Amino acid sequence: MNCLSYMLNQAAAQEKVKYHTNCRAMKLTHLSFADDLLIFIDGSLESVQNVLQVLHEFEQRSDLAVSFQKTSFFASGLDDSEVATIQASTGMVCGTLPVRYLGVPLSSKKLNLTNCEPLIHQIKARLSNWSVKSLSFSGRLLLIKTRLENGLTARFLFDNWSPFGNLAAHLNLSSSRLGIPLRATVASLRRNGVWRIPQARSDAQLELHAFLTTVEFSENEDYYEWEIDGKVSKKFNTAEAYTFLRGNIDEVNWSSIVLMQYSIPRHNFLVWLAILDRCPTRDRLIKWGLNVPPTCLLCNSAEEARNHLFHECNFSFDLWSLSANRLGIQPNRQWDHTVSHMRQLPRQRAHRSKRLLILLAWQSTIYWTWSERNTRLHQNTFKTVDAIFTVVD
């Protein structure tokens, strides 16, 4: 994104792209957030075409392409013919303001209460649930132990100084604190040997009263320690804390066929998404509410889904067959069977090189199948099975 930012600014400095009227003084050409990009220009067809040229050059350098089906332009001061020309030359639709971006309304005019009302409701909902969620999380996160000495710094409700952990959660004080101040320390609630807390009205409060009779103060200062699964330490260990919060998780049985030595990172990543069925195939896009046709872009004969693409689809199966035949293995159309086959490849030293080659070829076939699918969707260009296999080979 830094490279793209430089390219856009350079195009403006060379006057290939003209600044938007309200952006000329600060020389602002764009704003970006993650993979979202807002570009501001004067609206002339020349500037539009030069911006497209910059994006095309960036695609050639980075292999990151703009999805014009998901891109809109917003025009002000242009007549209908100019708008129609931009639409025809870019394939983008002309949107209307206000539009929501990251939950915030964007408008050419000053925002009013109506524009911001949905956002305000979301903020109010977050604030109303804040205290309950914070108390609940504090009740679970018992890694920091407060060692009670003089009680002058240990917070009575929130510090983990008692065997009950966070007392606000233990006593279920989300709605009422029983008259105990939020900032009350342990020592502040004891006067002349008497605890200044309400009488017990529940079993949890009764347990607390019984414990308080055993508490004795010293002249030393309170201090804190980390305790994870009974192990006490004065230093924080990120790995131990992460493992504790995550809990025990069984190791997946497919890790060895996704991440292996000498593998290609972008192939790994796509196979990982495919294993989890997280590729944005058309069946998933439809479930997300997007209005897209369901048909497979490779064979045009069935609905596009993960299992279809890899490799029930005739096009992708022909590609996988070429790879499998070159490797001397039997190709399978069923995704689950193919994954099982990859997992069961022999790992003995004598078979190590062939196992690695099969996995590399399988991952490469998946990657270039998906790449061809995207190229047909975004660039309307097509390759034959033989042409793609040349790349895989």
Side-chain angles (χ1 to χ4, degrees), residues 176-290:
S176 172
R177 299 194 302 274
L178 304 177
I180 301 174
L182 279 174
R183 299 179 180 273
T185 63
V186 177
S188 69
L189 296 179
R190 186 174 178 178
R191 293 288 185 273
N192 299 321
V194 179
W195 290 96
R196 302 169 64 87
I197 61 175
Q199 294 183 351
R201 296 183 180 180
S202 67
D203 291 340
Q205 294 177 27
L206 190 61
E207 291 175 345
L208 175 61
H209 278 260
F211 167 71
L212 292 179
T213 61
T214 66
V215 173
E216 295 291 341
F217 294 128
S218 71
E219 295 181 356
N220 300 322
E221 294 183 356
D222 302 330
Y223 64 96
Y224 300 86
E225 291 180 329
W226 291 96
E227 183 175 332
I228 302 177
D229 285 338
K231 180 182 178 181
V232 177
S233 175
K234 292 185 178 180
K235 292 185 177 180
F236 176 72
N237 187 297
T238 303
E240 292 179 355
Y242 172 76
T243 302
F244 174 82
L245 294 173
R246 181 196 64 184
N248 295 325
I249 298 178
D250 295 333
E251 183 177 342
V252 295
N253 58 16
W254 43 258
S255 60
S256 63
I257 65 173
V258 174
L259 299 172
M260 68 277 188
Q261 194 176 18
Y262 306 117
S263 57
I264 302 173
R266 58 182 177 178
H267 294 190
N268 293 156
F269 182 73
L270 182 61
V271 173
W272 175 63
L273 290 181
I275 289 276
L276 298 176
D277 197 9
R278 292 294 185 270
C279 294
T281 49
R282 284 183 157 179
D283 64 325
R284 287 175 55 77
L285 296 179
I286 292 172
K287 290 178 181 177
W288 297 342
L290 298 180

Side-chain angles (χ1 to χ4, degrees), residues 74-95:
F74 300 86
S76 176
L78 301 182
D79 57 38
D80 293 341
S81 63
E82 291 173 316
V83 171
T85 301
I86 294 175
Q87 284 182 306
S89 62
T90 64
M92 296 184 294
V93 297
C94 182

Side-chain angles (χ1 to χ4, degrees), residues 14-62:
Q14 296 172 352
E15 297 186 352
K16 294 179 180 179
V17 174
K18 301 298 193 305
Y19 290 107
H20 185 281
T21 303
N22 295 329
C23 301
R24 186 180 297 112
M26 66 183 78
K27 295 184 177 181
L28 177 67
T29 59
H30 65 283
L31 294 173
S32 61
F33 179 82
D35 59 350
D36 287 329
L37 182 66
L38 304 176
I39 302 176
F40 310 102
I41 58 176
D42 64 340
S44 65
L45 183 59
E46 180 184 4
S47 292
V48 172
Q49 291 174 339
N50 285 328
V51 165
L52 294 179
Q53 179 62 31
V54 170
L55 295 175
H56 178 65
E57 291 178 4
F58 178 70
E59 178 187 348
Q60 291 182 314
R61 297 179 181 183
S62 66

